[in-house]
């Protein structure tokens, strides 16, 4: 039975809708182009079909996908100068649909398939800009009716949109992959800035751990051996989170290590570091820090505190004690002097430095871990840093980590 014009138009509409749905659901450019040429070629009955993409750098059309035909004169990746080669080059230059009902007499035609008798090329545009050419060929003369060309032009609009969507998705994916790679590299670099192993100090055990809440963070701890056998111990927290805080942390570490090697007292070290950061740090950024010097001969720890969490002393003879100092604002705020405090480390006593990410950890009931839980846990002499952090993790009950967790413990044997 002969199909009337109205039925043919209805079939064309269904075809257009189906193909548009399929290609608009594919966000991988290479597979999208292959799907376009294979699906459209089969459903419309073209002998050869191709999508060529414009290379803005070279002003060329590049075959992105091609199917059908009995020859391989033009394959994926082949390039054609716009305005110079064939019908596709002509369409690329004029940005207008061009139809050759008989390619044997067409002035622009270049052979891509020996069986081709008619060919239509349609520009692909996005946001008013040429992004490629849609090429359809047929074995019959004058095989493309005006209605069929109109259908292909409508389809070309969907193809152009699908291509741009796939490109946008690819750009976003590439950017995410780039950022992920950079974060992993930053994470690796930051990890290398932490002590690789606990220091060896006669009569003492010193250990520390930092768990960033993101790939990188602003918490940091370190040990700096001094020339006279003493050990400098530092724990710091840069304001903010993420990459910015990590960069400032790295800068602070460099300054602190340079000053610490002088062997100056904790108060003087913090004063000099503060002076440098006041000049170098961005506005509204600061660092809290506790800096201590462990003297194994005197069995003492002298520390100064720049606005950081109060160190916790557990000596067994009395209740755990949070140790304050008389003066000490965060570094990078203003010129200020710092005061010191000396702790005599009795056998079995422990001095703990920590960041506020520990005491301010939150659970699903929005309760803080708090100083009370911290002192209760550390009253257990067998508790290690790993045990403490596991307890914080259990307390959180799966609530997202909001800040870095850092702990350093000095224990007298």
């Amino acid at each position: 039975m002969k199909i009337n014009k109205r039925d043919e138009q209805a079939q064309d509409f269904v075809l257009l809708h189906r193909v548009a749905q399929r290609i608009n659901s594919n966000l991988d450019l290479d597979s999208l182009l292959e799907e376009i040429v294979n699906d459209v070629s089969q459903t419309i009955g073209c002998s050869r079909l191709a999508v060529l993409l414009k290379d803005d750098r070279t002003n060329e059309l590049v075959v992105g996908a091609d199917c059908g035909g009995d020859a391989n004169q033009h394959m994926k990746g082949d390039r054609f100068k716009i305005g110079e080669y064939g019908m596709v080059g002509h369409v690329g230059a004029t940005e207008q649909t061009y139809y050759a009902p008989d390619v044997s007499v067409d002035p622009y035609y270049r052979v891509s398939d020996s069986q081709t008798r008619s060919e239509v090329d349609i520009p692909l545009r996005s946001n008013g800009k040429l992004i490629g050419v849609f090429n359809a060929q047929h074995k019959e003369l004058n095989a493309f009716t005006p209605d069929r060309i109109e259908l292909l032009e409508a389809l070309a609009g969907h193809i152009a949109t699908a291509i741009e969507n796939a490109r946008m998705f690819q750009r976003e994916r590439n950017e995410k992959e780039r950022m992920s790679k950079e974060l992993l590299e930053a994470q690796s670099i930051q990890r290398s800035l932490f002590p690789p192993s606990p220091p060896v100090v006669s009569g003492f055990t010193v250990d520390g751990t930092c768990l960033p809440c993101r790939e990188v963070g602003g918490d940091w701890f370190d040990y700096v051996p001094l020339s006279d056998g003493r050990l400098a111990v530092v724990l710091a927290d840069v304001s903010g989170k993420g990459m910015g805080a990590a960069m400032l942390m790295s800068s602070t570490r460099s300054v602190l290590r340079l000053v610490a090697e002088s062997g100056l007292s904790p108060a003087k070290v913090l004063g000099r570091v503060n002076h440098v950061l006041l000049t170098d740090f961005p506005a509204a950024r600061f660092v809290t820090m506790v800096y201590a010097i462990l003297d194994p001969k005197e069995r003492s720890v002298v520390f100064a505190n720049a606005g950081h969490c109060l160190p916790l002393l557990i000596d067994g003879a009395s209740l755990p004690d949070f140790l304050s100092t008389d003066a000490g604002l965060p570094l990078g705020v203003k010129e200020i002097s710092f005061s010191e405090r000396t702790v005599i480390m009795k056998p079995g006593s422990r001095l703990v430095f920590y960041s506020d990410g520990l005491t301010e950890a939150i659970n699903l009931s929005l309760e803080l871990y708090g100083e009370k839980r911290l002192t209760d846990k550390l009253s257990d002499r067998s508790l290690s840093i790993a045990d403490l952090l596991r307890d914080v993790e259990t307390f959180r009950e799966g609530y997202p980590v909001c800040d870095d967790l850092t702990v350093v413990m000095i224990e007298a044997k």
Side-chain angles (χ1 to χ4, degrees), residues 256-300:
L256 184 283
R257 275 187 153 261
L258 184 63
V259 177
E261 289 174 356
S262 65
L264 292 171
S265 68
K268 289 183 178 180
V269 167
L270 290 187
R272 290 196 178 185
V273 173
N274 183 51
H275 181 73
V276 174
L277 297 188
L278 281 172
T279 303
D280 291 350
F281 251 43
R285 289 284 195 167
F286 59 86
V287 183
T288 66
M289 180 183 295
V290 59
Y291 179 81
I293 294 180
L294 169 62
D295 188 334
K297 293 180 180 179
E298 299 294 330
R299 295 187 67 83
S300 67

Side-chain angles (χ1 to χ4, degrees), residues 32-44:
L32 167 68
L33 297 179
E34 291 295 333
E35 185 174 335
I36 289 170
V37 296
N38 284 290
D39 194 22
V40 176
S41 178
Q42 292 174 13
T43 52
I44 292 182

Side-chain angles (χ1 to χ4, degrees), residues 39-59:
D39 194 22
V40 176
S41 178
Q42 292 174 13
T43 52
I44 292 182
C46 296
S47 59
R48 192 180 187 103
L49 196 138
V51 175
L52 300 91
L53 302 178
K54 184 184 179 185
D55 186 337
D56 291 326
R57 297 170 301 174
T58 61
N59 199 38

Side-chain angles (χ1 to χ4, degrees), residues 189-248:
I189 292 172
Q190 185 174 47
R191 283 177 176 171
S192 71
L193 300 180
F194 289 102
S197 59
V200 177
V201 183
S202 177
F204 289 86
T205 298
V206 183
D207 197 11
T209 299
C210 178
L211 301 177
C213 69
R214 300 180 183 176
E215 288 82 355
V216 292
D219 275 16
W220 161 64
F221 75 96
D222 205 357
Y223 315 122
V224 184
L226 303 179
S227 59
D228 56 3
R230 296 180 300 165
L231 177 74
V233 179
V234 58
L235 191 152
D237 182 1
V238 177
S239 61
K241 298 179 179 65
M243 187 70 77
M247 293 175 66
L248 294 177

Side-chain angles (χ1 to χ4, degrees), residues 99-104 116-118 138-144:
Y99 176 43
D102 182 353
V103 296
S104 66
T116 296
R117 295 294 176 264
S118 56
H138 206 284
K139 295 179 182 180
E140 298 178 4
L141 291 171
N142 199 19
F144 298 94

